Amino acid sequence: MVDYWRQGSVAVIAVNNPPVNALSYNVRVGLYNNLDKAANDRDVLAVVICGKGRTFPVGADIHEFGQIPKEPWITDVGRKIESLGKPVIAAIHGTGLGGGLEIALFCHYRIALPNARVGLPEVLIGLLPAGGGAQLLPRLAGIQVAMEMITTGRQLPASEAAKYNIIDKVVSGDIVKEGIEFALRVQNKPFQDKILRYRSPHGKDSLQPITEAVLRKIKMRSRGFYAPVWCVRSIANSVKLPFEEGLAQNRIMFQQMQLSGQAKALQYAFFAERSISKWKLPCGGNFATAVPRKIKTISVIGAGTMGTGITVALLSAGFPVLLVEQNKRFLMKGVQTVQSLLEGGVKRRKFTAEQAKMASSSLTTTVDLQALNSVDLVIEAVFETLSLKEDIFSKLDKICKPEAILCSNTSYLNIDKIAASTRRPDKVVGTHFFSPAHIMRLMENIYGCKTSPETVATVMDLGKRIGKVPVLVGTCPGFCANRMNRPQSEEALFLVEEGAQPEQIDQVLEDFGMPMGPFKVRDLAGGDIGWRSRKDAALHLGLTLSYDLQFFNGERYCSLADKLCELGRFGQKTGSGWYSYDKPGSKQLSIDEDVTKLIQNHRDSLGIKPRKITTQEIQERFLFSGINEGFKILEEGIAARPEDIDIIWLYGFGFPRHYGGPMFYASQIGLKRVYDRICHYHELFPYSSHWMPSKLLQKLSIQEVPIGQWAELHSKL
Ligand code: NAD
């Protein structure tokens, strides 16, 4: 696992633990023993530590997560380096992360290739860099840089790392050869001042103001997430305590953090994210056997909000796109939007002006569906009307080449119905992007009963190639994401009807860690779309939406959102919605007395006496209604595993990652408690069928089955 060879007076110690040279127990032993070997060889005057294959070590072995690492620890390897009596050079290519960077920090010198990256990402799995990182980095790069790097887990490119002295030299060519050359240059020179433990941290006199500023940022960025705060403390130890004592304190904190629910949740999310690519269809096709089709040309139909965002996502990943609209006016508007989104990407430094220009030159347009006769894949993003989509798919079926794959970006509609309008249902699939589609990373892919494994493999592969997080689910109204979100949105309205204020609900859920409360989300998305579809649904049933409507289709109903829309309060875009805004399109919001009065009048007209609603009730009714739906989704096989649901929530709705996702959150609270509370609300609100407890949840709650066994047990229950 660790190779050793000598080239003249230089010993090379190369970690050889594919695929990422993780610092597992055997690697640490190998490093330790080979350092001894170099120390005892009198002909060795300098040592190079590097990684074989594609990278320098990237940190701990994920298979050892959650266990107490066996000795030698990284700090033991580090002490060996420091006391070797010969200069040790870390030669970094690929990524030097976590324990990898810590070992490099114990070295006397660090060189790196220009495209190498370094970082201490432990915070992202709820931990701190206890292998010396939090003690060494402030002594090398200063408190300010260490705070930023360690509390965010950000990876720095070699050039930036060199600016902060983390890298001594950026070199090009073969990293081992460069390491040896560097070693030959420094081998007989003094290097004691390069041992970081003897330095004092830069900026130590400003520890307090730096800490306060960082804590303020953390509070804004990641409410309720403890690890960054502990990371701040671990860095402060580098100033407050002698080196060895700081190391010992940080190790104690690390062990406490390892046991915390947040670290467990983050590690669960880490593995969940890796598991979603291992999809399986009920027909037996799966990721291992299905081969994706080669996709070179893509067409997007509909240049509205979603079509333009999807186009930008495809163009920026290097795909040529043929954009289609129903007429030239809408097409021109769409092209303008695409251009301004690309310009926005340059401003956000997502890509360079040159790349944006290239992307833009790969865009072609048409108002004639016939032009799609040679594309490999089509993504339809027209209005959410089944008949329109059926019409377009039946035309596409006739126009497109037989092997072309036809995707729909529908949010709710049945994929099987759309597929039935073609003679190629095996090549029809849902690709549900989230708004804004050029930024949001979730791609909820939906298979129909006839979708082929090859088609699924192709869209899963496409998702990855355009930098999205593709998750596969089955078809049902709203699929996984919107189906779970629906009861939550309804509960938010009912809570207002019963006595809560919209801003109170938003605050509670933002304090929980959601990026935005449900009323701010409604204002951002625009209330008019939902209002129109509710009016259409009512019409379909021979009803009209009236203000005193308390039941709709046998379900509890709240007409408050309709009342706002009736007043033209569609949200941010009209300058008023649940909040009022400076001007149309502005994000600057304030609480609006008119909305408060409207809510009060609504309650009065229905004879509802407002009651005090607690934080606990808001959290439970919002989160548990969605979780109950999540268990039904699992029960029906719409999602194959809880991990799929959780990743959908992490990437589609910004559910706080330190809770793992709604399903993992439920497992941490305890399924029995979640089930009991759902039964309680079901008793209180019998006219909201979303409170009907999931049978799967009931069964799993009896034995408190751990989340890793839900999917397996479900198939046996
Ligand atoms: P939109 O109204 O902004 O855009 C739809 C576009 O389709 C319009 O520009 C319209 O002119 C065009 N169009 C209509 N008929 C056409 C035809 N026959 N040929 C070519 N173009 C045609 O709608 P949107 O918000 O972009 O939604 C599009 C789809 O994406 C819907 O199915 C919606 O449910 C889904 N979706 C929307 C969101 C969202 O947040 N807006 C999120 C996920 C999915």
Side-chain angles (χ1 to χ4, degrees):
M1 282 194 156
V2 179
D3 298 343
Y4 179 95
W5 71 91
R6 252 189 59 191
Q7 191 158 326
S9 57
V10 180
V12 180
I13 300 176
V15 178
N16 186 6
N17 184 21
V20 290
N21 288 326
L23 293 164
S24 50
Y25 167 69
N26 287 332
V27 171
R28 298 195 302 274
V29 171
L31 279 169
Y32 194 88
N33 292 342
N34 282 311
L35 283 162
D36 254 346
K37 197 165 159 183
N40 294 331
D41 185 341
R42 279 200 297 175
D43 294 332
V44 169
L45 300 179
V47 179
V48 171
I49 296 182
C50 58
K52 275 209 155 168
R54 62 177 148 112
T55 183
F56 195 76
V58 298
D61 185 340
I62 52 173
H63 301 106
E64 291 175 12
F65 272 13
Q67 299 168 21
I68 306 225
K70 282 197 281 180
E71 291 177 42
W73 296 337
I74 285 174
T75 43
D76 299 323
V77 176
R79 286 188 197 98
K80 177 89 17 211
I81 293 170
E82 289 176 329
S83 60
L84 203 74
K86 304 172 186 189
V88 185
I89 296 98
I92 304 171
H93 76 298
T95 41
L97 301 179
L101 180 58
E102 288 176 315
I103 286 190
L105 292 171
F106 276 112
C107 291
H108 307 102
Y109 300 96
R110 288 152 294 279
I111 64 166
L113 290 184
N115 58 0
R117 302 178 76 82
V118 294
L120 292 170
E122 287 80 354
V123 69
L124 303 177
I125 49 168
L127 301 173
L128 63 87
Q135 296 297 292
L136 295 164
L137 195 60
R139 288 171 159 85
L140 181 62
I143 306 266
Q144 180 86 50
V145 173
M147 287 274 187
E148 199 269 326
M149 272 181 78
I150 294 175
T151 60
T152 61
R154 185 167 80 89
Q155 296 178 20
L156 269 49
S159 56
E160 192 182 353
K163 217 167 76 189
Y164 302 135
N165 304 322
I166 300 168
I167 298 296
D168 294 295
K169 193 171 178 206
V170 179
V171 295
S172 42
D174 180 84
I175 189 66
V176 180
K177 209 165 133 244
E178 290 296 324
I180 293 169
E181 271 177 27
F182 192 94
L184 290 171
R185 277 201 298 279
V186 297
Q187 64 183 11
N188 285 316
K189 300 210 171 112
F191 58 89
Q192 289 307 311
D193 64 329
K194 305 286 178 196
I195 300 175
L196 298 179
R197 73 161 61 218
Y198 302 126
R199 293 190 189 170
S200 68
H202 305 309
K204 64 177 183 170
D205 297 334
S206 319
L207 178 65
Q208 200 182 334
I210 294 176
T211 303
E212 281 167 13
V214 171
L215 286 175
R216 265 198 304 277
K217 268 198 203 160
I218 292 173
K219 210 173 156 201
M220 261 167 47
R221 196 177 54 221
S222 34
R223 267 178 257 209
F225 179 25
Y226 306 133
V229 179
W230 286 55
C231 285
V232 169
R233 277 188 216 153
S234 73
I235 298 163
N237 283 341
S238 72
V239 175
K240 293 178 182 163
L241 300 173
F243 187 79
E244 280 296 333
E245 240 179 88
L247 279 186
Q249 271 304 321
N250 288 355
R251 172 150 289 280
I252 293 170
M253 289 207 290
F254 177 88
Q255 282 162 354
Q256 288 171 349
M257 288 167 90
Q258 227 180 2
L259 299 175
S260 76
Q262 294 201 352
K264 285 184 188 145
L266 287 157
Q267 285 159 34
Y268 161 84
F270 177 90
F271 287 112
E273 204 163 332
R274 273 144 194 81
S275 74
I276 50 164
S277 57
K278 299 192 169 65
W279 54 269
K280 200 165 95 185
L281 287 174
C283 69
N286 64 56
F287 73 98
T289 52
V291 181
R293 287 196 73 80
K294 282 215 162 37
I295 300 298
K296 288 200 180 121
T297 48
I298 301 180
S299 180
V300 174
I301 309 182
T305 310
M306 294 306 289
T308 49
I310 296 168
T311 298
V312 170
L314 294 166
L315 287 173
S316 34
F319 283 98
V321 177
L322 173 57
L323 184 61
V324 189
E325 251 299 342
Q326 51 180 332
N327 62 43
K328 286 205 168 134
R329 192 163 62 87
F330 290 156
L331 188 58
M332 252 171 55
K333 197 165 159 256
V335 171
Q336 275 167 7
T337 309
V338 169
Q339 298 301 359
S340 75
L341 292 180
L342 284 171
E343 279 160 27
V346 176
K347 276 191 202 132
R348 284 185 293 118
R349 300 204 189 156
K350 186 105 178 20
F351 29 73
T352 61
E354 193 54 40
Q355 285 166 325
K357 210 167 139 199
M358 245 172 73
S360 163
S361 67
S362 302
L363 176 70
T364 47
T365 59
T366 184
V367 288
D368 180 9
L369 270 191
Q370 292 295 337
L372 274 62
N373 57 3
S374 64
V375 296
D376 299 322
L377 184 140
V378 181
I379 301 176
E380 164 278 310
V382 303
F383 306 130
E384 186 75 345
T385 314
L386 181 62
S387 55
L388 175 63
K389 292 197 195 265
E390 283 172 333
D391 179 50
I392 287 182
F393 272 72
S394 92
K395 284 182 182 147
L396 287 174
D397 188 36
K398 289 181 193 104
I399 295 167
C400 295
K401 54 188 185 186
E403 63 274 25
I405 289 175
L406 310 181
C407 314
S408 174
N409 185 50
T410 173
S411 325
Y412 283 92
L413 301 172
N414 189 311
I415 296 300
D416 288 327
K417 284 197 181 151
I418 297 174
S421 59
T422 72
R423 292 157 305 171
R424 60 175 97 186
D426 57 315
K427 295 194 174 59
V428 176
V429 66
T431 48
H432 181 206
F433 290 82
F434 284 66
S435 181
H438 59 298
I439 292 177
M440 294 295 284
R441 293 201 52 212
L442 179 65
M443 182 179 177
E444 188 182 28
N445 290 331
I446 307 113
Y447 62 87
C449 63
K450 294 192 177 157
T451 310
S452 72
E454 183 193 60
T455 302
V456 171
T458 307
V459 291
M460 294 298 278
D461 182 57
L462 176 67
K464 271 201 214 148
R465 286 167 67 188
I466 62 172
K468 302 287 177 201
V469 178
V471 183
L472 185 68
V473 297
T475 190
C476 67
F479 321 121
C480 177
N482 287 336
R483 176 169 163 185
M484 279 174 78
N485 190 226
R486 191 180 198 136
Q488 298 187 322
S489 307
E490 285 179 5
E491 282 304 311
L493 281 181
F494 297 152
L495 281 161
V496 169
E497 192 166 73
E498 291 164 36
Q501 286 305 117
E503 59 277 12
Q504 178 196 359
I505 295 174
D506 280 352
Q507 191 62 53
V508 167
L509 292 162
E510 285 166 20
D511 287 346
F512 172 78
M514 297 302 291
M516 233 187 224
F519 291 97
K520 286 187 191 157
V521 171
R522 276 173 181 266
D523 273 1
L524 179 70
D528 50 327
I529 302 164
W531 182 45
R532 264 186 220 121
S533 75
R534 289 194 296 278
K535 280 201 290 192
D536 283 352
L539 207 66
H540 204 67
L541 294 168
L543 291 168
T544 42
L545 291 184
S546 65
Y547 287 165
D548 53 357
L549 201 64
Q550 280 186 285
F551 294 95
F552 188 86
N553 216 5
E555 292 276 321
R556 179 178 175 186
Y557 186 79
C558 171
S559 63
L560 263 172
D562 303 333
K563 283 183 183 161
L564 280 183
C565 287
E566 194 76 32
L567 297 170
R569 302 185 66 115
F570 294 162
Q572 269 185 27
K573 59 183 169 190
T574 53
S576 66
W578 291 93
Y579 295 92
S580 62
Y581 298 83
D582 283 12
K583 53 179 190 273
S586 161
K587 290 189 175 116
Q588 205 57 47
L589 59 82
S590 50
I591 296 166
D592 191 331
E593 279 303 309
D594 289 348
V595 176
T596 313
K597 273 188 214 135
L598 182 107
I599 294 168
Q600 193 47 53
N601 290 342
H602 171 84
R603 291 177 191 141
D604 290 347
S605 71
L606 297 177
I608 297 170
K609 224 172 132 210
R611 63 185 173 87
K612 189 172 176 317
I613 311 245
T614 63
T615 297
Q616 181 188 340
E617 182 172 351
I618 293 172
Q619 274 196 11
E620 284 186 350
R621 284 177 62 184
F622 187 83
L623 296 168
F624 291 4
S625 59
I627 288 169
N628 193 34
E629 205 62 42
F631 277 100
K632 291 178 190 171
I633 283 169
L634 271 183
E635 198 174 300
E636 293 166 26
I638 299 294
R641 300 157 295 193
E643 285 86 345
D644 297 315
I645 299 179
D646 282 332
I647 292 298
I648 284 176
W649 274 80
L650 295 185
Y651 283 99
F653 299 103
F655 195 90
R657 200 175 171 93
H658 53 272
Y659 290 130
M663 307 309 274
F664 187 81
Y665 176 68
S667 77
Q668 282 200 315
I669 290 177
L671 297 189
K672 167 102 179 59
R673 177 169 167 75
V674 174
Y675 176 72
D676 286 349
R677 297 303 291 164
I678 288 172
C679 290
H680 164 75
Y681 291 120
H682 178 47
E683 232 177 88
L684 282 181
F685 307 114
Y687 289 107
S688 292
S689 61
H690 56 245
W691 284 121
M692 176 78 78
S694 145
K695 290 193 182 68
L696 176 65
L697 170 60
Q698 183 195 17
K699 285 179 187 155
L700 297 173
S701 71
I702 294 169
Q703 302 165 48
E704 278 296 346
V705 179
I707 192 163
Q709 295 167 25
W710 291 359
E712 191 195 331
L713 268 180
H714 166 45
S715 55
K716 290 188 193 146
L717 286 171

